[in-house]
Amino acid sequence: MRIVVVEDEVKIAQAIKRGLELKGYAVDVVYDADSGLAHAVDPDYDLVILDRMLPGSMDGTELCRRVRAEGGSVPILMLTARGTLGDKVEGLNSGADDYLVKPFSFDELTARVKALLRRPPHHVGTAMKVGDLSVDTATYKVKRGEQDIKLSSKEFSLLEYLLHSQGRVVTKDMIITHVWDGDALVLPNTVEVYIGYLRNKIDRPFPERPPLIHTLRGFGYKLGEQA
């Protein structure tokens, strides 16, 4: 999943970026409100982590209002040193989905990110399912039926994106955008390689069960019990 961090304190922004990348997310960073708005309305992003006090033509609350006014539904987690009840109410009323006060625990930030990235109807708690395949985004456990499946970090990120997109076709470009860091040079055949890795772990070992990863030639890939 792809996240943009809008934070003018470089050390904090880079620490968040490094920490979330270790959790398997693709993370971009911008340092001012105007760049933040341009990224927040970009449909390539699955989550915005937003500082409240920012340089530029607006603060974080105004940025939220503009995103929502433009019809943007991307989840927004607001970070701020301003932690009074009134501040929280103002931030949430501006369109933020959650509000975390600095200084914060990185474990709490990660938990809130995971919570905001969950999407019904395929989620129950931290679980994501398709057919008999289940993925727990908190523990990173993957099972098909009762069989445990071990995935690398990038394989897990790819599977999580496919689960979020299940039932619809995603192109190689969409996968690259949401699964790989923006600074990485990723070729389309890299996606084919990782799709192959996933198939070797969640489909091919279970020949008696319907395949879950489907290739639609000329279009892309779809996760589901039927193509």
Side-chain angles (χ1 to χ4, degrees):
M1 306 302 286
R2 191 171 201 84
I3 298 171
V4 61
V5 178
V6 188
E7 165 65 68
D8 65 319
E9 295 187 49
V10 175
K11 288 184 178 179
I12 293 176
Q14 290 299 320
I16 292 171
K17 175 180 171 69
R18 287 192 299 271
L20 290 177
E21 286 176 342
L22 289 174
K23 298 293 185 180
Y25 298 104
V27 184
D28 297 324
V29 177
V30 293
Y31 301 100
D32 65 89
D34 300 281
S35 298
L37 178 61
H39 284 71
V41 298
D42 187 330
D44 286 343
Y45 290 99
D46 304 294
L47 176 72
V48 178
I49 297 177
L50 174 66
D51 187 22
R52 180 163 177 162
M53 303 302 295
L54 291 164
S57 63
M58 69 197 94
D59 66 4
T61 54
E62 178 60 23
L63 192 159
C64 277
R65 291 189 187 98
R66 294 194 187 185
V67 170
R68 300 309 183 212
E70 293 186 27
S73 59
V74 62
I76 297 175
L77 171 58
M78 187 173 286
L79 302 179
T80 180
R82 297 172 60 176
T84 69
L85 178 59
D87 290 328
K88 292 179 181 178
V89 169
E90 184 182 6
L92 293 170
N93 285 342
S94 72
D97 297 277
D98 200 357
Y99 195 103
L100 187 58
V101 178
K102 299 176 182 178
F104 52 83
S105 153
F106 188 77
D107 286 342
E108 182 178 7
L109 173 66
T110 304
R112 291 180 184 233
V113 165
K114 288 179 178 178
L116 288 173
L117 285 173
R118 292 182 203 127
R119 287 288 187 270
H122 308 298
H123 294 67
V124 179
T126 59
M128 306 170 70
K129 294 194 70 175
V130 56
D132 61 349
L133 179 73
S134 63
V135 177
D136 191 312
T137 59
T139 63
Y140 300 98
K141 288 185 177 179
V142 179
K143 299 179 76 170
R144 186 150 193 192
E146 297 302 315
Q147 179 69 46
D148 290 329
I149 299 172
K150 294 191 180 299
L151 299 181
S152 70
S153 174
K154 191 58 68 180
E155 290 166 355
F156 186 92
S157 296
L158 173 56
L159 178 58
E160 185 178 16
Y161 176 62
L162 292 174
L163 279 160
H164 275 275
S165 307
Q166 68 173 280
R168 65 186 178 93
V169 178
V170 293
T171 66
K172 291 178 183 178
D173 285 343
M174 291 167 67
I175 291 172
I176 291 170
T177 295
H178 287 265
V179 175
W180 273 270
D181 189 278
D183 296 330
L185 177 60
V186 181
L187 300 175
N189 67 331
T190 303
V191 175
E192 295 176 17
V193 169
Y194 275 88
I195 289 289
Y197 291 161
L198 278 185
R199 280 200 172 108
N200 287 337
K201 293 183 178 182
I202 71 172
D203 276 342
R204 293 194 176 105
F206 308 94
E208 75 285 359
R209 303 177 191 179
L212 297 175
I213 299 175
H214 306 278
T215 300
L216 287 84
R217 302 224 174 260
F219 295 95
Y221 304 96
K222 184 168 75 169
L223 184 71
E225 294 185 272
Q226 295 181 336

